[in-house]
């Protein structure tokens, strides 16, 4: 409370109080407007539209068994989409992410079925190999200055050659089966293929891994300094380096995270279906990128959402299952993905431009 100095013998006069005036330079934004500016909102709204459409037009889609199927399909795609989204926010791509899933499964398959290893040491070796390949990808990108698109494309072909030629050279075929009963298989299956049934709804462990990866990625992005580093190295790498952000370590960690998620998806598929093939994961890298873009990531880095990528994967899983329920040709999925990718890029650029102008 402000007081005016008083003359001797007089009580101090009190100045009338006025409410603080709002700074006209600061614009107010409503809650709805703030929500709509979130990068993941487009994917959330699209997921609702897709869910309602297939639920209304088909009989099997919104049943417990139908939901079990498209949730499971979404989960493994979602794990990779979230990891790829973080890498894209950091300004990089990984085109070896799809084939990495097959490489990790084949490594375990060869070590256990051909050389008689216990499943757990084989799983650890596979994990170390994938993490090492991810670190090598990041190291080459940062040390050579080559685009990550080129470096990881080379890694893609190297891994595909190993999956096809080396595996065939070692075991004489390009697919591995017969994991049941191998040492360590039972406990590994519990970790990677257990499930929870709620009535006729079955939620496989891949679903819980999907939730865990999404929650962890969201926490890191929005609640830690590492999240700030990821946005910084993707949006303005020079400025980030000047203010002391560890660009090298941050990007190496992002490449390793993508590779480790590829290992995880490889283990989930291996122990779920008890088979590994040299063609596993080939072509899925583009699906991961599409899901991340549909979820709000921009191709130039520095903007995006882990939750949005998870919803992008959910859209993919629902459409992938909804099309056969409709009785349509399954190849329409590719046309849908193309339209979704273009629409998402346009929407994300528009939202990002509006958000930048508002600041």
């Amino acid at each position: 409370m402000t007081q005016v100095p008083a003359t001797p013998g007089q009580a101090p006069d009190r100045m009338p109080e006025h409410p603080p005036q709002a700074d006209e330079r600061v614009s107010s934004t409503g809650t709805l407007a703030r929500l709509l500016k979130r990068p993941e909102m487009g994917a959330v709204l699209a997921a609702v539209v897709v869910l309602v459409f297939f639920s209304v037009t088909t009989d099997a889609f919104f049943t417990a068994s139908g939901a079990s199927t498209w949730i499971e399909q979404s989960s493994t795609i979602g794990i990779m989409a979230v990891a790829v989204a973080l890498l894209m926010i950091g300004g990089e791509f990984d085109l070896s992410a799809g084939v990495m899933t097959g490489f990790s499964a084949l490594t375990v398959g060869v070590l256990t079925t051909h050389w008689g290893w216990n499943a757990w040491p084989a799983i650890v070796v596979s994990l170390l190999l994938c993490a090492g390949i991810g670190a090598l990808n990041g190291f080459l990108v940062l040390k050579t200055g080559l685009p990550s698109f080129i470096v990881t494309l080379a890694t893609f072909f190297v891994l595909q050659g190993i999956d096809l030629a080396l595996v065939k050279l070692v075991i004489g075929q390009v697919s591995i089966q017969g994991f049941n009963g191998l040492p360590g298989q039972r406990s590994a299956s519990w970790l990677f293929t257990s499930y929870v049934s709620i009535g006729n709804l079955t939620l496989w462990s891949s679903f819980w891994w999907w939730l865990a990866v999404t929650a962890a990625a969201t926490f890191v992005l929005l609640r830690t300094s590492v999240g700030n580093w990821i946005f910084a190295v993707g949006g303005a790498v020079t400025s980030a380096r000047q203010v002391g952000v560890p660009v090298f370590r941050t990007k190496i960690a992002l490449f390793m995270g993508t590779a480790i998620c590829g290992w995880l998806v490889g283990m989930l598929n291996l122990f779920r279906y008890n088979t590994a093939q040299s063609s596993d994961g080939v072509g899925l890298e583009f699906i991961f990128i599409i899901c991340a873009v549909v979820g709000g990531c921009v191709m130039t880095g520095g903007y995006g959402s882990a939750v949005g990528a998870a919803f992008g994967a959910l859209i993919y899983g629902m459409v992938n299952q909804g099309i056969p329920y409709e009785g349509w040709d399954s190849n329409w999925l590719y046309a849908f993905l193309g339209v979704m990718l273009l629409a998402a890029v346009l929407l994300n650029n528009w939202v990002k431009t509006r958000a930048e102008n508002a600041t």
Side-chain angles (χ1 to χ4, degrees):
M1 182 175 296
T2 305
Q3 292 182 339
V4 177
T7 57
Q10 286 185 321
D13 295 331
R14 297 178 182 275
M15 295 291 290
E17 293 183 344
H18 299 286
Q21 296 182 348
D23 190 342
E24 61 182 7
R25 297 169 298 178
V26 179
S27 62
S28 60
T29 305
T31 303
L32 179 60
R34 288 198 300 272
L35 282 175
L36 292 177
K37 288 180 180 178
R38 293 290 309 163
E40 62 270 13
M41 282 309 298
V44 173
L45 295 176
V48 172
V49 171
V50 171
L51 175 66
V52 172
F53 175 79
F54 286 120
S55 299
V56 171
T57 57
T58 67
D59 296 327
F61 185 82
F62 202 61
T63 62
S65 59
S68 301
T69 303
W70 50 260
I71 289 174
E72 186 184 9
Q73 290 183 353
S74 303
S75 58
T76 51
I77 297 292
I79 291 170
M80 290 306 300
V82 169
V84 169
L86 261 62
L87 187 61
M88 289 180 66
I89 295 171
E92 305 294 348
F93 294 93
D94 189 349
L95 295 183
S96 65
V99 73
M100 189 75 74
T101 64
F103 171 78
S104 64
L106 287 168
T107 300
V108 174
V110 171
L111 293 176
T112 54
T113 63
H114 189 71
W115 287 334
W117 283 36
N118 183 287
W120 283 107
I123 290 171
V124 172
V125 168
S126 176
L127 171 62
L128 295 176
L129 285 175
C130 290
I133 293 171
L136 180 62
N137 278 337
F139 180 84
L140 291 175
V141 168
L142 293 167
K143 287 298 182 182
T144 65
L146 291 172
S148 54
F149 172 84
I150 298 298
V151 172
T152 57
L153 181 63
T155 305
F156 165 85
F157 282 109
V158 170
L159 291 181
Q160 191 174 14
I162 291 173
D163 288 353
L164 288 167
L166 184 58
V167 171
K168 187 175 182 180
L169 180 66
V170 173
I171 65 173
Q173 56 188 4
V174 293
S175 66
I176 302 173
Q177 298 177 338
F179 293 93
N180 287 332
L182 294 175
Q185 180 269 337
R186 187 171 182 177
S187 56
S189 294
W190 176 85
L191 180 62
F192 295 115
T193 65
S194 57
Y195 61 87
V196 174
S197 294
I198 306 172
N200 292 326
L201 177 67
T202 301
L203 298 174
W204 290 89
S205 58
S206 58
F207 170 73
W208 306 108
W209 280 107
W210 180 29
L211 291 185
V213 169
T214 304
T218 301
F219 177 79
V220 169
L221 271 182
L222 302 181
R223 290 288 183 270
T224 68
S225 57
V226 175
N228 294 332
W229 296 348
I230 294 173
F231 282 108
V233 300
V237 64
T238 303
S239 301
R241 189 175 284 112
Q242 289 172 343
V243 297
V245 172
V247 175
F248 188 87
R249 282 187 290 149
T250 301
K251 294 207 174 192
I252 290 284
L254 289 173
F255 277 105
M256 291 181 67
T258 304
I260 290 173
C261 283
W263 164 84
L264 174 59
V265 171
M267 296 304 100
L268 291 169
N269 289 332
L270 174 65
F271 289 98
R272 171 76 170 88
Y273 302 107
N274 281 320
T275 183
Q277 298 184 11
S278 297
S279 60
D280 286 348
V282 176
L284 289 180
E285 54 277 352
F286 297 109
I287 303 298
F288 305 149
I289 293 174
I290 290 174
C291 292
V293 172
V294 170
C297 293
V298 296
M299 308 296 280
T300 52
Y303 187 83
S305 162
V307 173
F311 272 94
L314 180 62
I315 293 171
Y316 173 83
M318 289 193 294
V319 173
N320 192 34
Q321 191 62 32
I323 285 178
Y325 281 161
E326 291 281 4
W328 300 341
D329 188 327
S330 59
N331 291 316
W332 281 112
L333 175 65
Y334 299 107
F336 174 84
L337 290 175
V339 172
M340 284 292 293
L341 176 62
L342 182 60
V345 169
L346 294 174
L347 177 63
N348 293 340
N349 285 339
W350 179 78
V351 171
K352 183 184 179 186
T353 302
R354 291 288 301 270
E356 289 174 347
N357 292 335
T359 57

